[in-house]
Amino acid sequence: MVATGSDDETIKLWDIKSGHNNSVRSISFSPDGRTVVSASDDKSLRLWDIESGASKILNEYSQIVTNLTFSLDGRTVISTYSNSVKKAWNIKSGEEINTSSELNQQMGQDSMLIEENGWILSNGLKILWLPMNLRGNTVSVHKWFIAIGTSNGRV
């Protein structure tokens, strides 16, 4: 459980979801902010519904995924592997739809956040402190939502 406080005088409790069985390597929000995709060393890509917290396996793979992103229309997930190969997956069917170099033109980019000494930083500004047990391998942001993948397989 994560608790956050805000300038709007609210405290929110966040349920940390588990679904992977190994370290989470990459996370990305869909353009509409309703879905998160995650890649893990358990060799699965998972789609997460933000509202319900439910997840399902999008695809399983044999190489390490180093980066994930949604296409600009939100219908495709692009995965980049440790050997620099990119693959595109249809989020409805889970089927591979493209492996060409043209994927670079389809990729939308999340804002980049970094973790440094337990803080999530945006443009050098400290925006979120993480307790030791929540410090993750990967961070993704969409508007006001932050997803963190941790070494114990939690998102």
Side-chain angles (χ1 to χ4, degrees), residues 90-142:
N90 179 299
I91 67 166
K92 298 291 184 203
S93 69
E95 295 197 14
E96 184 178 344
I97 58 173
N98 195 341
T99 59
S100 74
S101 61
E102 296 170 3
L103 288 176
N104 289 328
Q105 297 173 359
Q106 298 176 21
M107 293 172 65
Q109 295 295 322
D110 284 335
S111 299
M112 295 300 289
L113 295 181
I114 61 169
E115 179 183 342
E116 183 178 292
N117 298 322
W119 284 94
I120 302 296
L121 305 175
S122 176
N123 298 323
L125 180 64
K126 294 177 180 178
I127 61 170
L128 178 67
W129 181 81
L130 299 174
M132 287 297 291
N133 64 331
L134 293 179
R135 294 181 189 178
N137 293 334
T138 187
V139 176
S140 183
V141 65
H142 176 77

Side-chain angles (χ1 to χ4, degrees), residues 40-152:
S40 168
D41 283 353
D42 67 8
K43 300 185 178 173
S44 70
L45 298 178
R46 284 191 171 271
L47 291 172
W48 301 80
D49 179 271
I50 294 295
E51 193 169 306
S52 71
S55 73
K56 70 175 185 174
I57 292 178
L58 172 64
N59 204 294
E60 296 179 311
Y61 51 88
S62 60
Q63 296 180 356
I64 294 173
V65 172
T66 58
N67 189 40
L68 289 171
T69 192
F70 276 88
S71 61
L72 296 175
D73 64 11
R75 294 184 287 186
T76 305
V77 168
I78 296 113
S79 55
T80 305
Y81 296 84
S82 56
N83 62 358
S84 299
V85 169
K86 291 180 174 62
K87 295 184 179 182
W89 308 96
N90 179 299
I91 67 166
K92 298 291 184 203
S93 69
E95 295 197 14
E96 184 178 344
I97 58 173
N98 195 341
T99 59
S100 74
S101 61
E102 296 170 3
L103 288 176
N104 289 328
Q105 297 173 359
Q106 298 176 21
M107 293 172 65
Q109 295 295 322
D110 284 335
S111 299
M112 295 300 289
L113 295 181
I114 61 169
E115 179 183 342
E116 183 178 292
N117 298 322
W119 284 94
I120 302 296
L121 305 175
S122 176
N123 298 323
L125 180 64
K126 294 177 180 178
I127 61 170
L128 178 67
W129 181 81
L130 299 174
M132 287 297 291
N133 64 331
L134 293 179
R135 294 181 189 178
N137 293 334
T138 187
V139 176
S140 183
V141 65
H142 176 77
K143 296 183 182 175
W144 298 105
F145 298 101
I146 298 173
I148 302 167
T150 65
S151 60
N152 66 5

